[in-house]
Amino acid sequence: MRYVLFALPLLALVALIGIFALSIDRDSSLVRSVLIDKPVPQFTLPPVEALGTPGFDAAALQGAPTLVNVFASWCIPCRDEHPLLEAIKAETGIRLFGINHSDAPENARAFLAELGNPYDAVGADRDRRVSIDWGVYGVPETFLVDPAGIIVYKHVGPLTPQAIESELKPAIEKLQS
């Protein structure tokens, strides 16, 4: 009996190591959202102060395919992702809306002044309430919304050229056809 009690914690440790080992190769950027194939949450975001780009609400996401990118000036991966967003917009012509996550307006303006503003609309989510409703884990995150206002794709983390070519562009082309 003593040997069984001694072996149980060891068996539990071996089982945990096995679970972690099997999880190593999984793609952590693909997190299935419960909002996929569901309407966007109801929200209204004011514009970033003095940016010159309007804010937006859930109704603005209807009528045409729209890429919604959650970003912040303090986010280093957002900086790396920014040229890819500009390229997607230039190549596909898709509408691009930004949710500025938990950021001071002057920092958001400086970020977009330095890197360029590819967004058709930028909403200020200073209290992170809208980001929470969208199921955002952290920045950056990108969503594709169809013309009916349904979320059809989510990418967690910075977009990569591989993810854009293999996942995002085919999804955009499907909506645009």
Side-chain angles (χ1 to χ4, degrees), residues 7-177:
L8 282 177
L10 185 60
L11 288 173
L13 177 64
V14 168
L16 283 174
I17 290 172
I19 290 170
F20 290 135
L22 291 174
S23 300
I24 286 176
D25 290 336
R26 293 200 179 156
D27 184 1
S28 63
S29 68
L30 182 60
V31 176
R32 181 82 177 153
S33 171
V34 297
L35 294 178
I36 299 294
D37 298 327
K38 303 256 187 324
V40 297
Q42 290 300 311
F43 70 94
T44 300
L45 286 174
V48 173
E49 298 167 19
L51 182 62
T53 305
F56 65 102
D57 60 13
L61 297 173
Q62 295 184 358
T66 308
L67 204 56
V68 178
N69 177 254
V70 183
F71 75 98
S73 65
W74 45 264
C75 165
I76 301 302
C78 295
R79 210 169 257 287
D80 297 337
E81 176 186 69
H82 200 79
L84 297 174
L85 291 170
E86 291 176 316
I88 291 168
K89 183 173 175 148
E91 286 179 35
T92 66
I94 193 165
R95 295 188 314 169
L96 179 58
F97 287 12
I99 297 177
N100 183 235
H101 178 84
S102 187
D103 217 347
E106 60 275 10
N107 295 341
R109 285 192 308 270
F111 177 85
L112 294 173
E114 177 187 343
L115 300 175
N117 185 357
Y119 299 106
D120 298 298
V122 179
D125 187 19
R126 294 192 65 192
D127 64 1
R128 300 179 300 271
R129 182 74 241 158
V130 172
S131 298
I132 290 168
D133 291 345
W134 278 72
V136 172
Y137 293 94
V139 290
E141 288 192 18
T142 304
F143 299 83
L144 181 59
V145 179
D146 75 7
I150 306 296
I151 298 170
V152 297
Y153 173 84
K154 176 181 181 180
H155 184 86
V156 176
L159 289 168
T160 63
Q162 297 81 11
I164 290 168
E165 290 302 319
S166 66
E167 300 167 17
L168 185 56
K169 276 188 183 176
I172 291 171
E173 289 168 3
K174 182 178 175 185
L175 292 181
Q176 290 177 329
S177 61

